[in-house]
Amino acid sequence: MLLAYQSHTSRPAPFRSAVFPVSSRAMNPTTNIAVRAARQAGNVIMRSFSRLDSLTVSEKDVNDFVSEIDRNAENAILDTIHKAYPGHAILAEESGAHGKDDFQWIIDPLDGTTNYLHGFPQFAISIALTHRGRLESAVVYDPLRDEMFTADRGGGALLNDRRLRVTDQKVLKGALLGTGIPYRDQRYMDAYLGMLKDFTQETAGIRRPGSAALDFAYVAAGRLDGFWELGLSVWDFAAGALLVEEAGGVVSDIAGGSRHLETGNVIAANIRLHGKMVDTIRPHLP
Ligand code: 2AM
Ligand code: CA
């Protein structure tokens, strides 16, 4: 439900208050390390944001770009994690998988590279830790706005020091949804466009900001009511998925099952809206 601004106050209240103050809570040590690593990557990314023209950019795959900044930011993250946890395994977007351990860090050093390279201000660092495949710690950091989203399994989700909660929007009418348009694998384009058409007709609006990690963080923070995308890589949304769950939301694959981390086809929302999104997507499933 949308609340009107109160016109008599000098500072308008936000539309939805999904962010609550908390007294400082002790974070898991692993989450603290992820925060430190994310800040270091943020410094690398922001140092170059004013000299984008001089960056060396290459194309990893069709429409999939990487710059020296992605690599430098990833190295900064890996250095911090290796120092604290030398035995842990890693899965990182630029350098791939290394090591074998029950603990694995899943890292996207710059989610939204295309945005970054265009100077479009929507990108983030995403760091998650899994233990035997279960998400335990999550950090998504927006270095431009200095917004640090964190979650510990069982400990809730925070934006800086404020507790997050998904919205209680129950129906598609009035909902604001985030999405990503398939950019690489065009196999499901028609199915996707069918979903997009239905959601466009049934909701208050659709946004395609271009950083899946931030889209999930925004669902956790109640800035978006829900999100769906097909064909994501696990590093795009591993951290975001724990943020949404710890903010009281549900994350699933597009059939409503639990294979989203494997398939990269994903829906995130509060539980009521999530069911409505699954119902809308179902007729379009390939
Ligand atoms: P990346 O910038 O880390 O690669 C959203 O669709 C996700 O897909 C983003 O999180 C983005 O992560 C990834 N992506 C890669 N190339 C893209 C492109 N050309 N357009 C949109 N998203 C892209
Ligand atoms: Ca990414």
Side-chain angles (χ1 to χ4, degrees):
M1 236 256 300
L2 300 181
L3 304 172
Y5 279 123
Q6 290 180 311
S7 55
H8 59 275
T9 53
S10 52
R11 269 181 69 214
F15 250 39
R16 298 136 189 251
S17 129
V19 183
F20 308 97
V22 286
S23 54
S24 60
R25 159 176 76 70
M27 250 183 231
N28 281 345
T30 51
T31 311
N32 265 321
I33 292 297
V35 165
R36 191 183 304 167
R39 283 204 190 284
Q40 268 152 17
N43 291 341
V44 171
I45 288 166
M46 291 315 296
R47 267 203 301 272
S48 298
F49 194 53
S50 53
R51 54 163 198 100
L52 293 175
D53 289 348
S54 63
L55 297 183
T56 312
V57 179
S58 49
E59 199 170 355
K60 282 192 283 193
D61 197 348
V62 183
N63 286 341
D64 195 353
F65 299 95
V66 63
S67 71
E68 58 194 276
I69 301 306
D70 299 63
R71 298 201 179 94
N72 294 346
E74 185 164 303
N75 288 338
I77 294 166
L78 294 179
D79 280 353
T80 305
I81 291 175
H82 277 146
K83 265 189 208 128
Y85 300 108
H88 285 185
I90 302 281
L91 174 62
E93 174 161 18
E94 308 309 337
S95 58
H98 348 223
K100 205 169 159 24
D101 191 54
D102 285 350
F103 287 98
Q104 184 185 47
W105 294 86
I106 303 177
I107 298 161
D108 191 337
L110 176 50
D111 184 55
T113 302
T114 305
N115 282 346
Y116 179 79
L117 293 174
H118 285 80
F120 188 94
Q122 188 76 359
F123 46 83
I125 296 129
S126 173
I127 304 176
L129 176 66
T130 58
H131 182 246
R132 297 185 176 170
R134 193 172 84 148
L135 289 161
E136 296 294 339
S137 284
V139 168
V140 172
Y141 180 48
D142 174 346
L144 205 52
R145 300 176 181 86
D146 194 23
E147 290 192 322
M148 183 70 74
F149 298 88
T150 58
D152 294 330
R153 170 165 299 279
L158 301 179
L159 164 50
N160 298 332
D161 59 353
R162 303 193 138 226
R163 190 171 292 283
L164 299 181
R165 184 88 204 150
V166 293
T167 66
D168 64 358
Q169 174 75 29
K170 294 178 181 60
V171 291
L172 289 170
K173 187 172 162 47
L176 185 65
L177 300 185
T179 188
I181 300 166
Y183 61 92
R184 195 167 39 197
D185 186 348
Q186 302 294 306
R187 260 179 308 173
Y188 304 124
M189 186 55 110
D190 288 341
Y192 175 80
L193 290 176
M195 300 170 198
L196 182 63
K197 183 173 179 188
D198 285 357
F199 281 131
T200 302
Q201 287 167 341
E202 292 172 34
T203 63
I206 311 290
R207 299 290 180 267
R208 193 268 186 261
S211 159
L214 277 183
D215 294 336
F216 276 80
Y218 285 11
V219 173
R223 294 173 182 175
L224 290 171
D225 295 302
F227 173 85
W228 92 102
E229 184 162 351
L230 311 181
L232 284 174
S233 299
V234 67
W235 46 74
D236 297 322
F237 72 106
L242 187 61
L243 285 172
V244 170
E245 287 170 2
E246 288 297 326
V250 178
V251 183
S252 77
D253 61 39
I254 48 167
S258 57
R259 296 190 57 234
H260 46 286
L261 291 176
E262 297 143 65
T263 62
N265 303 327
V266 62
I267 306 176
N270 72 61
I271 190 156
R272 297 284 296 274
L273 190 65
H274 179 273
K276 303 283 189 324
M277 291 180 72
V278 172
D279 291 345
T280 304
I281 285 174
R282 188 176 299 117
H284 301 289
L285 288 181

